[in-house]
Amino acid sequence: MFQNLIKLLEIVIAEGAKLGLSQKIYVVGGAARDLLRGERDLSDIDFVTTASINKLVERVVSKTNGVTKFFPKFLTAKIVEPSLIGGFKNIDFASARSEIYPLPGSLPKVSLAEDIAEDLRRRDFSINAIAIEIESLYQALQSGNLKADKLVTIDPYWGINDLRDKILRILHPKSFIDDPTRILRGFRYMVRFNLTFEKITERLLLEAIELNVFETISEFRKFAEIKKIFSERELASFPRLFDQYKIWFALCPNKPKVLGKFIEAMRVIFRDQPLLTAEERERLFLVATKLFWVNTGELKDQFDQLGLSKSYKKKIDDLISNPNQTDATIVMRNYLEEILAI
């Protein structure tokens, strides 16, 4: 079941050893979290090393094939579609980094970190601030015993305990102010992994919303996070959470009438169809796009800001006229027509 991952680890360990990086490469972030949760299928994996990544990535891609992309500004690189390693869409690499946010909501300025612990300090939640040393992971997978006590982990924020206790905890008091997208990401993790906010984290989240932190980030970044939410299988859980934490109006304070109708439509849909297909979820997101990002009288500017392609615009236009709608999207189409007449 882990054969693809074992094969990839063998390559990274062998090529890292040639560069003198033994015991200096870690699996981090969502991949570390999901392995510790017992997930068996990873489509993406993140490696961090305390050294430069360029030579390591070049050596690894020679064994995996795929397209290599380097992002020197962020000290990261990616191998896309590694055809010789089954199951993975992306293999991500990063040098251990430190971050500074010049302004609330701005993209961070990145510099090399001294060690892996400093890299983990910049992450969003404790469950994502865990690193697994890859040789110990390789040995654990080979033995079939993937338990935390069999792994060499770096876990300065007790993320393994929070995973066990189903707690979502930020790492420092300004986390949501530095990067408000962490609020939306937090809701995704809550729903996907059945977590609850730690009390101080919840208080700081509510305070950040009161400070209108979403005004500090671009429409593109809001759009990208909402798109991820609409791709979640348990999408029906989000309207209740967004009502509870007043997220809807924090995201769209200038469109209260439209927003009210959209929320009402979502309730009707999920009352009748709590589980939607991936196609239905995509159609609902197209409606949201039409309502909150594109239908503003600034069509060209909005498409430029959101990075939307011509094909995506066509999907939005087809949404209204396509007769082959599912039941869920017929409801949304009817509400859409009413909303656009406001």
Side-chain angles (χ1 to χ4, degrees):
M1 192 169 289
F2 284 117
Q3 291 309 307
N4 290 329
L5 178 56
I6 290 172
K7 183 179 178 182
L8 176 59
L9 291 176
E10 285 176 347
I11 292 170
V12 175
I13 289 169
E15 299 307 318
K18 295 173 185 176
L19 297 170
L21 298 179
S22 298
Q23 299 180 339
K24 293 181 181 179
I25 305 174
Y26 303 86
V27 172
V28 298
R33 176 199 67 219
D34 291 345
L35 285 166
L36 290 165
R37 289 182 59 254
E39 290 286 336
R40 293 295 183 264
D41 297 314
L42 301 179
S43 60
D44 299 282
I45 190 166
D46 295 88
F47 294 102
V48 166
T49 176
T50 52
S52 172
I53 57 171
N54 290 13
K55 290 182 179 180
L56 177 62
V57 173
E58 289 169 358
R59 284 181 172 273
V60 171
V61 77
S62 71
K63 306 294 184 182
T64 64
N65 280 359
V67 178
T68 306
K69 299 181 179 180
F70 289 92
F71 307 95
K73 181 178 178 181
F74 298 104
L75 304 177
T76 62
K78 181 189 295 285
I79 300 174
V80 181
E81 301 292 346
S83 58
L84 298 183
I85 298 287
F88 289 98
K89 294 180 181 178
N90 299 294
I91 305 170
D92 290 285
F93 294 83
S95 295
R97 294 168 289 169
S98 178
E99 292 180 344
I100 296 175
Y101 289 84
L103 294 170
S106 65
L107 292 175
K109 290 186 176 180
V110 176
S111 59
L112 283 169
E114 292 185 2
D115 53 35
I116 188 65
E118 188 176 355
D119 180 272
L120 296 176
R121 193 177 304 134
R122 67 181 184 80
R123 296 180 180 269
D124 50 7
F125 299 99
S126 63
I127 61 171
N128 292 331
I130 305 166
I132 305 174
E133 192 275 318
I134 62 168
E135 290 194 11
S136 73
L137 176 59
Y138 175 74
Q139 292 167 7
L141 291 172
Q142 288 281 54
S143 68
N145 188 359
L146 192 62
K147 293 184 177 180
D149 60 357
K150 302 297 182 183
L151 299 168
V152 176
T153 58
I154 313 295
D155 183 21
Y157 299 99
W158 300 91
I160 294 174
N161 284 354
D162 284 346
L163 274 176
R164 180 196 63 206
D165 298 336
K166 294 188 173 296
I167 295 294
L168 197 59
R169 184 194 314 271
I170 54 173
L171 306 189
H172 61 85
K174 288 183 62 182
S175 183
F176 294 131
I177 293 173
D178 285 344
D179 184 357
T181 64
R182 289 171 176 165
I183 295 173
L184 301 174
R185 214 174 306 145
F187 286 117
R188 282 199 289 122
Y189 296 145
M190 280 183 71
V191 170
R192 190 189 303 170
F193 304 131
N194 191 28
L195 308 176
T196 57
F197 283 123
E198 178 263 341
K199 289 183 179 180
I200 294 175
T201 295
E202 183 175 50
R203 175 174 60 79
L204 291 169
L205 180 147
L206 291 169
E207 289 176 1
I209 293 170
E210 286 293 320
L211 291 171
N212 299 318
V213 291
F214 289 116
E215 293 181 0
T216 68
I217 60 176
S218 67
E219 289 300 308
F220 172 79
R221 293 180 69 195
K222 292 180 196 176
F223 177 85
E225 290 297 330
I226 293 294
K227 186 176 183 181
K228 291 175 184 176
I229 284 173
F230 272 79
S231 71
E232 291 286 334
R233 185 173 181 274
E234 300 293 335
L235 179 61
S237 300
F238 287 94
R240 177 186 58 79
L241 280 174
F242 275 30
D243 278 351
Q244 179 183 345
Y245 290 94
K246 299 181 173 58
I247 295 296
W248 291 119
F249 290 97
L251 285 169
C252 305
N254 300 322
K255 294 191 174 184
K257 289 184 179 180
V258 174
L259 187 57
K261 288 293 184 181
F262 181 73
I263 294 170
E264 184 182 350
M266 294 283 278
R267 287 175 180 149
V268 170
I269 288 167
F270 292 125
R271 181 190 66 204
D272 297 334
Q273 290 181 253
L275 280 178
L276 303 183
T277 66
E279 181 183 359
E280 288 170 335
R281 294 196 300 271
E282 181 187 24
R283 288 184 180 276
L284 294 188
F285 183 68
L286 289 170
V287 171
T289 303
K290 179 80 172 176
L291 291 177
F292 300 114
W293 285 285
V294 175
N295 185 51
T296 63
E298 302 173 354
L299 198 60
K300 289 184 179 179
D301 289 345
Q302 289 295 313
F303 269 80
D304 288 344
Q305 288 177 21
L306 301 177
L308 299 181
S309 65
K310 290 181 180 179
S311 63
Y312 199 87
K313 177 183 180 297
K314 186 177 185 303
K315 284 184 178 182
I316 294 172
D317 291 338
D318 288 347
L319 178 72
I320 308 299
S321 56
N322 184 359
N324 299 318
Q325 304 279 350
T326 61
D327 290 343
T329 44
I330 287 174
V331 175
M332 282 305 297
R333 184 183 63 188
N334 292 339
Y335 274 97
L336 176 61
E337 291 171 350
E338 182 178 348
I339 291 165
L340 295 179
I342 292 176

